[in-house]
C-alpha cells in the first residue's frame, strides 16, 4: 500500500469520520431532522467504514481472524446497539408519563448543548466503569467485556446486558432529569456508538497528542492489557482519568496475547449471560 494512503488512514480516519458524523448528526440534535431512521443509518455507515478500514490497515494482523468470538459478539452488540438507539424513544415516553421541570439551557448554541449532554453522560459512564472494576458483582458482569482475546470494531459492544444498562443508566437519568431534549441525548448516544467502534478498533490509526484527551484505541488498549485494567476508564474523554489519577499511556504497543482474562469464560452467548450468576463464581 502506498505510504501516503497509510499516512492518511493513520492520521485522518478518526477526525474525518467523527467530524463528518457530527456534521450530519447536528441537524437531529437541533430538531431539524427526525431521529429515526437518520441517526441509526449514519452510525451504521460510519461503523461499517471502521470495520472496512481494519481490513485495509490492521493494527494487529492476528486480530483479523475469528477467535471463536465473532458470532457471540454479534449477539452482544445487537442488544447493546438496540439499547443505544432506543434511548431517545424511551426518554420521550418517560416524559409523556412523568412531568419534569426543565432546567435545560435551551438558549445555548446547539453544539454547546450537545457538549453538556456528552459531559454528563460520559462522567456517568466513567464512574460506573470505575466501580465495575471495584465492586465484585459489577466486575463479574463487566468481566465479559474484558474476556475478549482480541480488540476489533465489534467488541466495543461486547457487554453483559445488565452491565450495559448499569453503565449507561446514571448519566442518562441525570441528564434526563435536568431536562435535556431526547433528540440531543439520542444524538450523543449515536456519536458514542461510532466512537466505541474506533475505541476498540483493530485499526492502525492515531490522533497524536489528542490521545491524552480522547478515549481512542491508543489509550484504551492499555485498559484491556493484563495488569492495567484499573487505568483509562474513559469512554469518550480521558479528562476524568486525568482528574482522578487513573490515566496511563506509554508509546510501547499492546500486542496480541496481551489482552483478555486469565479466567476463561464460556464461549457461547447464553452461558456468558449466566456466568456472573453461577454459584461457583460467587
Amino acid at each position: 500500500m502506498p505510504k501516503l494512503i497509510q499516512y492518511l488512514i493513520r492520521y485522518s480516519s478518526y477526525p474525518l469520520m467523527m467530524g463528518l458524523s457530527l456534521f450530519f448528526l447536528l441537524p437531529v440534535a437541533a430538531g431539524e431532522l427526525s431521529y429515526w431512521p437518520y441517526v441509526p443509518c449514519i452510525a451504521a455507515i460510519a461503523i461499517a467504514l471502521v470495520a472496512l478500514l481494519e481490513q485495509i490497515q490492521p493494527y494487529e494482523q492476528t486480530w483479523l481472524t475469528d477467535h471463536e468470538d465473532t458470532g457471540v459478539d454479534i449477539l452482544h452488540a445487537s442488544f447493546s446497539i438496540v439499547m443505544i438507539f432506543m434511548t431517545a424513544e424511551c426518554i420521550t415516553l418517560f416524559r409523556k408519563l412523568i412531568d419534569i421541570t426543565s432546567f435545560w439551557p435551551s438558549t445555548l448554541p446547539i453544539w454547546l448543548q450537545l457538549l453538556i449532554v456528552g459531559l454528563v453522560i460520559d462522567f456517568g459512564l466513567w464512574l460506573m466503569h470505575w466501580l465495575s472494576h471495584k465492586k465484585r458483582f459489577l466486575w463479574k458482569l463487566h468481566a465479559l467485556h474484558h474476556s475478549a482475546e482480541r480488540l476489533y470494531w465489534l467488541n466495543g459492544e461486547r457487554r453483559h446486558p445488565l452491565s450495559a444498562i448499569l453503565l449507561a443508566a446514571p448519566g442518562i437519568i441525570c441528564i434526563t432529569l435536568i431536562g435535556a431534549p431526547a433528540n440531543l441525548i439520542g444524538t450523543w448516544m449515536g456519536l458514542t456508538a461510532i466512537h466505541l467502534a474506533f475505541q476498540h478498533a483493530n485499526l492502525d490509526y492515531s490522533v497524536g497528542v489528542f490521545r491524552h484527551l480522547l478515549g481512542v484505541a491508543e489509550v484504551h488498549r492499555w485498559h484491556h492489557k493484563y495488569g492495567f485494567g484499573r487505568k483509562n476508564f474513559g469512554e469518550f474523554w480521558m479528562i476524568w482519568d486525568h482528574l482522578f489519577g487513573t490515566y496511563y499511556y506509554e508509546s510501547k504497543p499492546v500486542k496480541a496475547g496481551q489482552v483478555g482474562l486469565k479466567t476463561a469464560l464460556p464461549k457461547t452467548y447464553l452461558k456468558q449471560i449466566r456466568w456472573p450468576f453461577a454459584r461457583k463464581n460467587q
Side-chain angles (χ1 to χ4, degrees):
M1 184 188 301
K3 288 187 176 181
L4 177 60
I5 300 299
Q6 291 180 338
Y7 182 89
L8 289 173
I9 292 175
R10 182 170 294 119
Y11 293 106
S12 69
S13 56
Y14 183 88
L16 181 62
M17 288 176 60
M18 290 298 289
L20 286 173
S21 297
L22 180 60
F23 174 80
F24 286 113
L25 290 175
L26 274 177
V28 179
E32 298 169 3
L33 292 172
S34 63
Y35 180 86
W36 288 95
Y38 199 70
V39 172
C41 286
I42 294 298
I45 292 169
I47 292 170
L49 287 173
V50 175
L52 176 62
L53 286 173
E54 281 191 350
Q55 300 298 316
I56 298 171
Q57 187 161 296
Y59 169 82
E60 178 61 66
Q61 189 69 34
T62 61
W63 286 350
L64 289 178
T65 59
D66 179 72
H67 285 46
E68 299 181 68
D69 54 1
T70 307
V72 74
D73 283 349
I74 290 172
L75 293 174
H76 287 302
S78 296
F79 176 86
S80 296
I81 290 174
V82 167
M83 187 184 75
I84 287 172
F85 292 124
M86 287 303 296
T87 299
E89 300 299 324
C90 291
I91 292 170
T92 299
L93 177 61
F94 177 77
R95 288 199 171 128
K96 287 181 179 179
L97 298 175
I98 301 175
D99 185 28
I100 298 175
T101 301
S102 177
F103 302 97
W104 188 250
S106 57
T107 57
L108 292 176
I110 199 65
W111 66 266
L112 186 52
Q113 293 184 50
L114 187 62
L115 180 61
I116 294 170
V117 167
L119 286 169
V120 173
I121 291 177
D122 197 62
F123 178 71
L125 286 167
W126 180 92
L127 179 62
M128 292 306 298
H129 193 180
W130 178 78
L131 287 172
S132 293
H133 283 257
K134 293 283 187 180
K135 303 301 181 182
R136 180 172 171 79
F137 178 68
L138 291 177
W139 166 248
K140 287 190 293 183
L141 293 172
H142 184 58
L144 172 61
H145 182 65
H146 281 269
S147 67
E149 296 177 350
R150 61 171 175 147
L151 298 176
Y152 71 115
W153 69 275
L154 188 57
N155 64 12
E157 303 298 345
R158 180 189 175 97
R159 304 176 192 274
H160 193 284
L162 186 54
S163 178
I165 292 170
L166 291 173
L167 282 166
I172 291 174
I173 290 172
C174 285
I175 201 66
T176 300
L177 293 177
I178 293 171
N183 55 296
L184 270 173
I185 298 172
T187 298
W188 180 259
M189 294 302 289
L191 194 64
T192 298
I194 301 168
H195 171 81
L196 286 174
F198 268 111
Q199 186 182 63
H200 296 81
N202 180 26
L203 173 63
D204 180 13
Y205 78 100
S206 173
V207 295
V209 296
F210 291 102
R211 70 174 69 92
H212 303 298
L213 174 65
L214 298 166
V216 289
E218 290 175 88
V219 292
H220 193 70
R221 291 184 189 115
W222 286 100
H223 179 70
H224 282 265
K225 188 179 185 295
Y226 292 129
F228 287 82
R230 296 194 175 187
K231 297 291 183 181
N232 299 348
F233 299 102
E235 295 288 336
F236 202 99
W237 286 302
M238 304 308 295
I239 53 176
W240 320 116
D241 289 289
H242 286 292
L243 286 172
F244 295 101
T246 55
Y247 179 79
Y248 180 87
Y249 175 76
E250 62 176 275
S251 58
K252 180 181 178 180
V254 176
K255 304 301 287 181
Q258 296 181 323
V259 301
L261 293 177
K262 293 181 180 179
T263 302
L265 265 67
K267 295 290 187 181
T268 63
Y269 179 77
L270 290 178
K271 287 183 178 180
Q272 288 179 355
I273 297 301
R274 293 196 297 263
W275 183 84
F277 308 101
R279 183 168 297 179
K280 65 179 179 180
N281 298 320
Q282 299 302 315

